[in-house]
Amino acid sequence: MFVYTLLPATALFLLFGWALATALAAALLRPAVLGRPVTALGLLRAAGPRIPAVCGARLLALLAAAGPGAAALAAGLPPLAVLPLAPVALWLGVLFALAPTAAGSEALGPVAALRRSARLVRGAWWRTLGITVPAGALALGAAYAVLSWFGLLGALLAPALLLTVPQPASGLLYTDRVLRLRHPATPSPW
């Protein structure tokens, strides 16, 4: 019984932590790119109101990517029958990868953030995949290393690494895509 209570509470905590990390990274990136100083209080003021929209964008992106496969599994299909949905899930996951950052940076609602992410990723799907996957793998590796080296303390620090390490990469990728859309004559180094 305890596990059934703990699992949803942990999932909600991680979702909130992920949304907070994304909103903070988005609020920090804007003044950093412009070379302006930022204070911790100013950062919290800028990120706080964006957390619900970022959380909603993250949930919608997860539902879009994992929803069809999860629904098929819940309907009783065997896992091998659901395997052909994996490329679709990957494509949708990358297409909506910038939605939480867009919600935090542009003060968009969750659905508008998904549309904005699709617009930003259009023409740069492989670049988005090539940056988000290594950032996620780095976070996963760092979390695993901290967990195995520091035991109980690592169990507390590992989720923080999983939540925060990919956010700067996503934020910089988002900034790159916005600037390239505004100035399309800029040649791509990739």
Side-chain angles (χ1 to χ4, degrees):
M1 183 64 182
F2 177 70
V3 172
Y4 294 118
T5 306
L6 185 63
L7 195 59
T10 304
L12 284 174
F13 175 76
L14 288 176
L15 180 68
F16 177 77
W18 208 355
L20 177 64
T22 303
L24 285 171
L28 178 64
L29 197 58
R30 186 178 306 124
V33 167
L34 298 173
R36 296 182 182 149
V38 65
T39 63
L41 187 59
L43 189 63
L44 288 173
R45 264 193 231 129
R50 299 308 317 147
I51 292 173
V54 170
C55 195
R58 175 79 59 199
L59 271 175
L60 286 178
L62 285 172
L63 278 173
L73 287 173
L77 287 175
L80 284 177
V82 179
L83 198 56
L85 292 175
V88 174
L90 176 66
W91 181 73
L92 288 171
V94 172
L95 186 69
F96 298 134
L98 300 178
T101 306
S105 295
E106 296 184 29
L108 299 173
V111 175
L114 290 178
R115 278 193 229 112
R116 179 68 169 155
S117 177
R119 203 172 314 121
L120 291 171
V121 172
R122 189 177 303 127
W125 190 91
W126 287 104
R127 182 183 308 155
T128 305
L129 176 73
I131 292 172
T132 55
V133 168
L138 177 68
L140 192 60
Y144 178 75
V146 165
L147 184 62
S148 61
W149 289 340
F150 296 109
L152 184 59
L153 179 63
L156 297 172
L157 294 175
L161 287 172
L162 281 172
L163 298 175
T164 58
V165 169
Q167 301 315 318
S170 178
L172 289 172
L173 177 64
Y174 165 81
T175 303
D176 174 69
R177 293 305 305 152
V178 167
L179 291 175
R180 288 187 194 282
L181 283 180
R182 288 186 185 154
H183 306 288
T186 305
S188 173
W190 302 42

